[in-house]
Amino acid sequence: MSQQEQLGFRALADPTRRSILHLLAQGDLTIAQVAENFQMTRAAVKKHLSILHEGDMICVQAVGKTRVNTLNPNGIKNAASWFGYFDAFWDEKLATLKTEIEKDMQ
Amino acid sequence: MSQQEQLGFRALADPTRRSILHLLAQGDLTIAQVAENFQMTRAAVKKHLSILHEGDMICVQAVGKTRVNTLNPNGIKNAASWFGYFDAFWDEKLATLKTEIEKDMQ
DNA sequence: ATTGATAGATACCGAATGGTATCATGTCAA
DNA sequence: TTGACATGATACCATTCGGTATCTATCAAT
């Protein structure tokens, strides 16, 4: 487990932060513009953006006196690639899943 | 954001739990067997397994006096599918990413 | 130079999290 | 029915986390 992987999953663990990523997918936004979409203070949103930045999920570029937050496809793709580990096991698992689910109900 | 999505990402947020999923990908294990792979008490491992179960990442079936933990491909695939939201935006983003990364360095 | 808008930084609070220790439960075997 | 073993469950502790309040810094425009 790399530290970057941990920072990435930590960034994705909060629903507000995942929502921010969906927002930024539709266009780049300043901190204030992101904050308009949530019922919390700008400082709280800034914290979320910092954690997203630490997890490599967004890039931040200074534009005049504002900071424009931009989606970072590389970081998001990197987190998504973690799931690839299971690709080799899924076919076999899915074949017996129904039975296991039934046992789990008991 | 669904509650199940949140429980899923919460389950994945901890490195021990992600490690447990990788372990279970190689074969089903009882709680005690999982605990052998970590330097923490069985109770702590049990907590992690409970959170993984709440996030639909594993199934638990009683076998005699033991409980066998099994990977749940459905839950893991469901979490992985969250990343599909960005598919439509990646091609465009990747085209301009290099420039944005450079600005981010400043 | 002063004002106002945008952002950074810090301290603080309540709740959730990761972990241990401890005790209760249940199941198999003798 | 005992005893041993794998698990369930609870209480407790230190740390992290999400959030607010507050103060400071910077830039732009007048």
Side-chain angles (χ1 to χ4, degrees):
Chain A
M1 164 210 51
S2 68
Q3 179 65 10
Q4 192 50 47
E5 173 182 298
Q6 176 54 21
L7 290 176
F9 276 100
R10 167 187 176 233
L12 295 176
D14 184 87
T16 298
R17 288 195 287 269
R18 292 195 302 278
S19 184
I20 288 176
L21 291 181
H22 279 188
L23 256 182
L24 294 180
Q26 303 173 232
D28 304 345
L29 296 173
T30 66
I31 297 178
Q33 288 173 329
V34 173
E36 289 174 7
N37 292 272
F38 299 92
Q39 290 186 339
M40 66 183 72
T41 63
R42 180 189 53 76
V45 170
K46 162 72 170 98
K47 272 192 178 181
H48 284 305
L49 289 171
S50 295
I51 293 176
L52 285 171
H53 188 247
E54 289 174 11
D56 262 352
M57 298 297 166
I58 62 174
C59 302
V60 184
Q61 51 178 316
V63 175
K65 65 177 159 188
T66 72
R67 300 246 169 181
V68 176
N69 300 275
T70 305
L71 217 62
N72 185 351
N74 282 341
I76 299 177
K77 283 197 172 190
N78 190 57
S81 71
W82 178 85
F83 294 88
Y85 183 90
F86 302 94
D87 286 346
F89 308 94
W90 275 350
D91 287 345
E92 173 199 355
K93 277 294 168 189
L94 283 174
T96 59
L97 180 65
K98 186 171 180 299
T99 309
E100 289 167 359
I101 290 277
E102 288 166 356
K103 289 178 184 172
D104 194 36
M105 295 296 182
Q106 296 170 2
Chain B
M1 163 209 53
S2 69
Q3 180 65 9
Q4 192 51 47
E5 174 184 296
Q6 176 54 22
L7 290 175
F9 275 100
R10 167 188 176 233
L12 295 176
D14 184 88
T16 298
R17 289 195 288 269
R18 292 196 302 278
S19 184
I20 289 176
L21 291 181
H22 279 188
L23 256 182
L24 294 180
Q26 303 174 232
D28 303 345
L29 295 173
T30 67
I31 297 179
Q33 287 171 329
V34 173
E36 290 174 6
N37 292 272
F38 299 93
Q39 290 186 338
M40 65 182 73
T41 63
R42 179 191 53 77
V45 170
K46 161 73 169 108
K47 273 192 178 183
H48 284 306
L49 289 170
S50 295
I51 293 177
L52 284 170
H53 188 246
E54 289 174 11
D56 262 352
M57 298 297 165
I58 62 173
C59 301
V60 184
Q61 51 177 317
V63 175
K65 62 180 159 186
T66 71
R67 300 245 169 181
V68 176
N69 300 275
T70 305
L71 217 60
N72 184 351
N74 283 341
I76 298 177
K77 283 197 174 190
N78 189 57
S81 71
W82 179 86
F83 294 89
Y85 183 90
F86 301 95
D87 286 347
F89 308 94
W90 275 350
D91 288 345
E92 174 199 358
K93 277 294 171 191
L94 284 173
T96 58
L97 181 64
K98 187 170 180 297
T99 309
E100 289 167 359
I101 292 277
E102 288 166 355
K103 290 178 183 171
D104 195 35
M105 295 298 181
Q106 298 171 2

